[in-house]
Amino acid sequence: MAQILNVRHFRFFPSLPLFYKPTPTHLRILSTFAASSSKRRRNANIPPLHLRSKTTLPMEVEETKSFGNPGFNKRRAEGTDKADFPKKNLQLKVRKLNPINTISYVQVLGTGMDTQDTSPAVMLFFDKQRFIFNAGEGLQRFCTEHRIKLSKIDHIFLSRVCSETAGGLPGLLLTLAGMGEEGMSVNIWGPSDLKYLVDAMRSFIPNAAMVHTKSFGPTFGTNESLAQYQSNPIVLVDDEVVRISAIILQPKGQNDTVDSSNVKKITAAKPGDMSVVYVCELPEIKGKFDLEKAKALGLRPGPKYRELQLGNSVKSDHQNVMVHPSDVMAPSIPGPIVLVVDCPTESHLEALLSAKSLATYGDQVGNLSKSVACVIHLTPEFVVSSSNYQKWMKTFGSAQHIMAGHEKKNIEVPILKASARIATRLNYLCPQFFPAPGFWSCSNENGSKPGFLASSEDSFSALSNVIHAENLLKFTLRPYVNLGLDRSCIPTKVSSSEIIDELLLEIPEVVEAAQHVSQLWQDSSQTTESLIPVSDHTMVEEPWLCEDGIPPACLENIRRDDLEIVLLGTGSSQPSKYRNVTSIYINLFSKGGLLLDCGEGSLGQLKRRYGVSGADDVVRSLICIWISHIHADHHTGLARILALRRDLLKGFPHEPVLVVGPRKLKRYLDAYQRLEDLDMLFLDCKHTTEASLDNFENDLQEKVNSEDLNNNSAKINASKLDSTLFAKGSRMQSYLKIPGSPVDKDAVYPLLKKLKGVIREAGLNSLISFPVVHCPQSYGVVLQAEERTNSIGKVIPGWKIVYSGDTRPCPELIEASRNATVLIHEATFEEGMVEEAIAKNHSTTNEAIEMGESANVYRIILTHFSQRYPKIPVFDKAHMDKTCVAFDMMSINIADLPVLPKVLPYLKLLFRNDMIVDESDDVVDVATSMS
């Protein structure tokens, strides 16, 4: 069968399971589709991948002979390849509206509600238009999971400008900018501090992707009067379909002053404080024209009928009377109104209660034209539970109130059901590497803590129309006869036992496979006991030792609480149903932990792995966050993590966390901190290279030897520190742009001292960055543990973990990985896509394995897979004796490394029935190319 299923099948079906053995039916499908795809390529004059010469690449490619001639894209590494990408016209597209709108509703999209880490999103749907309120982390992934087309979005409104409401915006903008031939752009609306977020994102998002951002309200740092925004809503959208207005909520207190004319002004407002209530008003539905009444009043059919329908009076054709619209038309039905309310603090509540413009929408006698049909509360539970807020809610007593704040009830149903399903299946097969998701324990946690859900139901007893939001809950606005709640789209609750029952029916052999996997750990335990110390402190191999051979010395007497590698995200470019974007948590247990890269949704992934409270503990104990490069899929979850850590540690003695990354990341963080304090310190990766650290230590020693220890004005030799960033003759020195300006020694010295202190407290000997070949300022990292002494006095070297970041094969990576315990290497493309890998400076699966073997690495973990491989990538079965494929939520304890490669053949069983026959389903690497 292996001879029949050749490489072209995998080329057209890149998501085929590992070592896939097709049935005859599948083989016919594969062959037929591959042939038709080849025909389409021939008709379009596009050669197949294996026949495309390197001269057809759109970018300059410089070859190297070091590692089987893999090549790399020099211009991309230098950052000079922008002209090679096709220019997209991102002018705003105007859709043809449908004023009749046969269908309209508001829907809770629920991003973050199962993990309580972001504000829920709300969609206002019309036949030809889509409006999104808030874009927290995970919005893209949620929309992909539930088939909500991002390309249909016309406007995005932010109720606040912060990581909680806008964390998913950078990735969303990059995705929308990459859609279609001309790209797709939307209007982004928010209060005036939106400009701070836009300024921050400019460091890594092309300007063309943000051309339609629009802010409103009082401007920070000016004496602009707040009164004008309190009396009347700010109209943002007003067409024949909907009128959307904004009401600003500015916190009361120290930010407000009163001048001599008794006018309240904003003089000390802090960016990020403003919140918005959005008012969505649909036009009224005209009453039905009564033809019989028109005839009775002497009107002939014709233009006068139209005038009456437009609200104009006309003179009768046969009678000497004026005919008014009310004479011939039934009463109009007022258009429904929806309020989206975000009142994040009690200070904002005071502003909400005093907002004059909101009072006109309350239940008032004779004010039926402004009757609110639905109020969606994004307000957190501690504000909602206050008596003043509930009193305000009663002013809209006839409306349907949907409580969409962070409530524990929403944890019961996972938002990402496809991902939860795979995680549960993997846990059944191999619980050692795939622990039960923290999600499944949330219901028990909820039941043991009487929270807002129980206490608030009694307090809402005076309001009959109050419900708690659920994912995909709808409130229908059109057609009017269906006005009200629609629960038809709400996902059903699925327990882990139901998922396992389904698995056993689908793949009965998995029971035996799980038993075999369990046996691997028993064999590994026996193997460890067979490594007996002898007089010369060497290790003797028993005849039944595993075929891997003797593990490295650093694994001798290793403890399970020494190290755990948790793969939070293993995909590239943008999130998908099954794989989030890149993030790795290095768990040092009681000593804290580190994050290596922090793509969008990293916080949500932590909460799905450890549970809500467990993830909070992880964030509190972070000692360092290391970012490899500036591409969005590696760092856009950083602000949310830092903001949560700030909130969790507020009021407790602590120090800012250290963020190590490329200098372009500092530009983003510096700009963002004008909007929201992130409580962190930044250190450039270039100061953490081995050469730089060595010279720092030398300079420090020289200072100690030559100057009095009490002389605090001693200086570091900045020129030496900067000039030795790269080893002499390093080819990377010419490919990465390094500024020639001197180092700010007064700033760098304390940061390096802090880095040295925190890693030593965590039991690490060093954290060293090294340059790699991807884009300007791209790095990999080495984590080296301190040496240990065993019971007989033998010195045992510490473990060594290497993470490649995004890179082509390069000498710097091999040298840094020499004799490493674990190499975590990107493997974006399959082996048949070498040219694509070169064009984007990524690696193939085989290249990543070759890097590990060349460096004599003990274990290789492949990650950062293209999203064209949604579940398991395609690669050659050879050379897998020390390699494993990463999955989201995979947790690898250092004590289990001997077993790691042996599990891979069993994993293919879970995906044997999965295949894709439509290459249009592939996810294009939009974010990477745009960056």
Side-chain angles (χ1 to χ4, degrees):
M1 184 62 69
Q3 295 177 347
I4 300 176
L5 190 62
N6 57 45
V7 69
R8 71 179 182 135
H9 297 118
F10 287 97
R11 194 177 313 286
F12 291 108
F13 302 96
S15 297
L16 283 175
L18 182 66
F19 316 141
Y20 176 65
K21 296 181 67 176
T23 63
T25 302
H26 285 175
L27 186 59
R28 286 196 299 272
I29 295 174
L30 286 168
S31 300
T32 301
F33 190 85
S36 63
S37 297
S38 298
K39 183 177 180 181
R40 290 197 302 272
R41 290 182 182 276
R42 288 194 300 271
N43 292 340
N45 294 322
I46 301 175
L49 290 176
H50 64 284
L51 293 181
R52 297 182 205 174
S53 66
K54 291 189 170 50
T55 57
T56 64
L57 288 175
M59 307 172 188
E60 177 186 345
V61 174
E62 180 174 315
E63 299 291 337
T64 176
K65 300 180 180 179
S66 301
F67 311 104
N69 198 32
F72 70 96
N73 185 345
K74 176 181 175 182
R75 294 177 64 183
R76 186 171 179 84
E78 291 178 334
T80 59
D81 64 336
K82 296 179 180 179
D84 296 315
F85 292 109
K87 298 295 183 182
K88 291 192 175 184
N89 176 17
L90 293 179
Q91 295 301 313
L92 185 65
K93 295 182 179 179
V94 180
R95 304 184 198 275
K96 183 178 180 180
L97 302 182
N98 177 15
I100 299 176
N101 277 303
T102 55
I103 299 176
S104 178
Y105 56 81
V106 286
Q107 186 173 30
V108 178
L109 299 188
T111 54
M113 288 174 60
D114 61 343
T115 52
Q116 305 179 30
D117 59 303
T118 64
S119 175
V122 176
M123 178 172 65
L124 175 60
F125 177 95
F126 293 98
D127 290 343
K128 300 291 185 180
Q129 282 184 303
R130 312 285 191 276
F131 302 87
I132 297 287
F133 298 87
N134 287 346
E137 290 186 22
L139 178 60
Q140 281 193 86
R141 203 174 182 197
F142 180 91
C143 292
T144 301
E145 172 90 7
H146 299 286
R147 299 182 181 277
I148 298 170
K149 292 188 176 181
L150 296 173
S151 60
K152 300 293 185 181
I153 298 174
D154 297 286
H155 298 266
I156 298 175
F157 300 88
L158 300 180
S159 63
R160 282 177 288 135
V161 185
C162 61
S163 59
E164 185 180 357
T165 60
L169 193 57
L172 183 61
L173 289 173
L174 285 170
T175 299
L176 291 173
M179 287 183 173
E181 292 299 323
E182 298 180 350
M184 191 70 192
S185 57
V186 297
N187 281 310
I188 312 294
W189 301 87
S192 57
D193 41 18
L194 174 63
K195 68 185 181 68
Y196 295 104
L197 178 62
V198 173
D199 290 342
M201 292 190 299
R202 291 193 194 282
S203 62
F204 64 93
I205 295 182
N207 291 339
M210 300 188 296
V211 292
H212 301 295
T213 53
K214 301 182 179 181
S215 59
F216 53 84
T219 303
F220 168 71
T222 68
N223 290 327
E224 192 174 357
S225 173
L226 180 61
Q228 60 178 309
Y229 299 106
Q230 292 181 325
S231 57
N232 296 300
I234 306 168
V235 178
L236 308 178
V237 176
D238 190 6
D239 54 37
E240 60 267 39
V241 172
V242 67
R243 176 188 176 100
I244 298 180
S245 308
I247 298 173
I248 299 288
L249 300 183
Q250 179 68 40
K252 303 290 183 179
Q254 72 277 12
N255 293 335
D256 296 339
T257 59
V258 179
D259 63 9
S260 57
S261 60
N262 202 32
V263 176
K264 192 175 296 184
K265 295 185 177 182
I266 300 176
T267 56
K270 179 166 103 23
D273 278 348
M274 279 185 286
S275 182
V276 182
V277 175
Y278 288 103
V279 182
C280 309
E281 304 176 69
L282 274 66
E284 67 177 10
I285 301 175
K286 298 292 185 181
K288 186 177 180 181
F289 187 85
D290 193 324
L291 185 61
E292 296 301 322
K293 285 184 178 182
K295 290 180 178 179
L297 290 172
L299 288 173
R300 291 195 300 263
K304 292 183 178 181
Y305 283 14
R306 177 61 177 167
E307 289 297 318
L308 288 167
Q309 291 175 348
L310 293 175
N312 302 320
S313 299
V314 297
K315 186 175 183 179
S316 173
D317 295 313
H318 299 295
Q319 300 177 22
N320 189 24
V321 296
M322 290 295 293
V323 181
H324 304 287
S326 59
D327 297 330
V328 295
M329 297 189 69
S332 297
I333 301 174
I337 298 175
V338 176
L339 302 183
V340 180
V341 182
D342 188 356
C343 182
T345 68
E346 292 183 355
S347 297
H348 289 84
L349 178 55
E350 296 180 37
L352 180 68
L353 296 175
S354 61
K356 299 176 183 178
S357 52
L358 261 179
T360 61
Y361 295 96
D363 293 345
Q364 301 176 22
V365 177
N367 190 24
L368 297 178
S369 62
K370 287 194 174 183
S371 177
V372 176
C374 178
V375 183
I376 299 179
H377 300 265
L378 304 181
T379 304
E381 60 187 63
F382 74 91
V383 178
V384 168
S385 59
S386 68
S387 58
N388 285 336
Y389 192 92
Q390 293 179 25
K391 182 179 178 180
W392 175 81
M393 288 175 60
K394 292 176 183 177
T395 62
F396 306 98
S398 62
Q400 176 68 66
H401 293 268
I402 301 177
M403 315 308 295
H406 295 166
E407 302 166 17
K408 288 184 170 56
K409 177 180 179 181
N410 298 305
I411 305 174
E412 298 174 6
V413 179
I415 285 182
L416 305 174
K417 293 182 67 174
S419 177
R421 179 173 175 268
I422 284 186
T424 304
R425 287 178 161 221
L426 289 167
N427 168 253
Y428 176 85
L429 178 65
C430 183
Q432 295 85 354
F433 286 144
F434 303 96
F439 163 83
W440 295 118
S441 62
C442 289
S443 56
N444 296 331
E445 178 182 314
N446 180 32
S448 63
K449 297 181 181 179
F452 168 68
L453 180 62
S455 62
S456 62
E457 287 178 346
D458 294 336
S459 60
F460 288 142
S461 58
L463 290 170
S464 58
N465 295 329
V466 176
I467 66 165
H468 299 280
E470 297 180 73
N471 298 326
L472 299 179
L473 173 70
K474 289 182 181 180
F475 186 90
T476 300
L477 304 172
R478 297 275 198 266
Y480 187 78
V481 292
N482 294 332
L483 183 72
L485 294 171
D486 179 1
R487 301 177 180 271
S488 61
C489 295
I490 295 176
T492 57
K493 297 179 181 179
V494 179
S495 66
S496 57
S497 59
E498 291 176 305
I499 295 176
I500 298 305
D501 290 342
E502 177 190 84
L503 172 63
L504 298 180
L505 286 175
E506 179 185 342
I507 310 175
E509 304 92 318
V510 76
V511 176
E512 185 178 359
Q515 294 172 352
H516 289 168
V517 170
S518 179
Q519 185 64 38
L520 292 176
W521 264 262
Q522 297 180 27
D523 295 343
S524 176
S525 176
Q526 294 172 351
T527 298
T528 302
E529 294 173 359
S530 71
L531 302 179
I532 306 171
V534 293
S535 57
D536 62 353
H537 295 171
T538 59
M539 306 301 291
V540 177
E541 179 180 349
E542 293 291 334
W544 44 272
L545 185 65
C546 62
E547 61 188 28
D548 288 332
I550 300 176
C554 65
L555 296 185
E556 181 182 338
N557 298 328
I558 200 75
R559 301 190 339 174
R560 299 196 68 83
D561 61 353
D562 281 351
L563 170 69
E564 180 185 46
I565 303 170
V566 183
L567 286 304
L568 299 175
T570 58
S572 67
S573 178
Q574 61 193 64
S576 73
K577 287 171 59 175
Y578 305 107
R579 293 186 185 272
N580 201 51
V581 287
T582 302
S583 184
I584 303 167
Y585 174 55
I586 303 298
N587 184 9
L588 302 174
F589 295 94
S590 61
K591 298 176 182 178
L594 302 87
L595 278 176
L596 307 181
D597 279 336
C598 190
E600 178 188 338
S602 294
L603 178 57
Q605 293 292 85
L606 276 173
K607 293 192 174 186
R608 293 181 181 98
R609 168 61 181 86
Y610 292 104
V612 175
S613 60
D616 287 349
D617 293 338
V618 168
V619 173
R620 284 190 194 96
S621 61
L622 284 174
I623 62 172
C624 180
I625 302 175
W626 183 91
I627 305 297
S628 62
H629 62 290
I630 196 60
H631 284 167
D633 56 331
H634 290 259
H635 73 83
T636 48
L638 179 58
R640 187 73 197 109
I641 293 273
L642 293 174
L644 176 62
R645 181 182 181 274
R646 173 204 65 206
D647 294 340
L648 292 173
L649 295 176
K650 187 176 294 183
F652 296 92
H654 69 280
E655 293 187 2
V657 69
L658 190 61
V659 175
V660 182
R663 69 177 182 276
K664 281 188 177 181
L665 180 64
K666 185 178 189 301
R667 298 175 194 169
Y668 165 66
L669 294 175
D670 286 347
Y672 189 92
Q673 288 210 108
R674 298 175 62 194
L675 178 68
E676 186 176 14
D677 178 30
L678 298 179
D679 192 24
M680 63 93 194
L681 297 173
F682 185 86
L683 178 60
D684 196 327
C685 278
K686 75 175 184 178
H687 299 313
T688 63
T689 61
E690 185 173 17
S692 295
L693 292 173
D694 286 345
N695 279 277
F696 166 73
E697 293 289 345
N698 293 337
D699 291 340
L700 188 61
Q701 187 62 44
E702 289 177 8
K703 184 188 78 168
V704 172
N705 294 336
S706 62
E707 300 181 15
D708 184 79
L709 293 176
N710 294 324
N711 184 3
N712 294 325
S713 63
K715 304 296 183 179
I716 300 174
N717 188 332
S719 61
K720 179 182 286 189
L721 181 65
D722 193 42
S723 64
T724 56
L725 175 59
F726 296 109
K728 185 176 181 180
S730 168
R731 75 172 189 170
M732 288 303 301
Q733 192 169 10
S734 63
Y735 297 150
L736 298 184
K737 296 180 177 179
I738 305 301
S741 58
V743 174
D744 184 353
K745 46 188 174 292
D746 292 331
V748 171
Y749 174 78
L751 292 174
L752 289 174
K753 185 176 180 180
K754 178 177 175 61
L755 174 64
K756 182 178 179 180
V758 296
I759 64 175
R760 283 297 173 92
E761 290 178 6
L764 298 178
N765 182 55
S766 61
L767 181 154
I768 300 175
S769 303
F770 59 91
V772 295
V773 181
H774 183 56
C775 67
Q777 304 166 49
S778 294
Y779 295 89
V781 68
V782 180
L783 298 176
Q784 177 80 53
E786 291 182 333
E787 295 178 342
R788 296 176 288 120
T789 304
N790 66 8
S791 58
I792 60 175
K794 177 184 177 181
V795 176
I796 303 173
W799 48 258
K800 178 180 176 181
I801 306 297
V802 180
Y803 169 49
S804 70
D806 285 4
T807 184
R808 287 292 298 150
C810 60
E812 289 77 10
L813 176 59
I814 285 191
E815 185 59 33
S817 305
R818 189 76 62 191
N819 299 318
T821 314
V822 176
L823 169 61
I824 306 171
H825 200 297
E826 72 118 294
T828 308
F829 295 102
E830 62 180 286
E831 183 55 27
M833 301 183 71
V834 175
E835 293 181 354
E836 284 80 357
I838 293 174
K840 296 184 177 180
N841 276 346
H842 282 295
S843 298
T844 66
T845 52
N846 280 19
E847 288 173 335
I849 294 171
E850 289 173 4
M851 290 299 96
E853 291 180 340
S854 299
N856 193 34
V857 171
Y858 177 61
R859 291 291 180 257
I860 305 167
I861 301 174
L862 302 182
T863 187
H864 196 268
F865 301 112
S866 169
Q867 300 291 15
R868 54 172 51 84
Y869 317 116
K871 294 183 180 179
I872 194 165
V874 177
F875 50 90
D876 192 351
K877 184 176 179 179
H879 310 297
M880 298 301 292
D881 56 314
K882 58 171 65 177
T883 306
C884 188
V885 175
F887 293 85
D888 281 18
M889 306 301 179
M890 189 175 190
S891 301
I892 303 170
N893 194 287
I894 190 170
D896 297 329
L897 287 179
V899 186
L900 185 62
K902 297 180 178 297
V903 174
L904 184 58
Y906 296 95
L907 296 179
K908 69 175 183 178
L909 185 66
L910 293 181
F911 307 102
R912 69 177 188 184
N913 297 328
D914 296 308
M915 60 180 292
I916 288 184
V917 296
D918 186 356
E919 59 185 351
S920 65
D921 287 342
D922 289 351
V923 179
V924 180
D925 194 358
V926 174
T928 302
S929 62
M930 288 294 295
S931 297

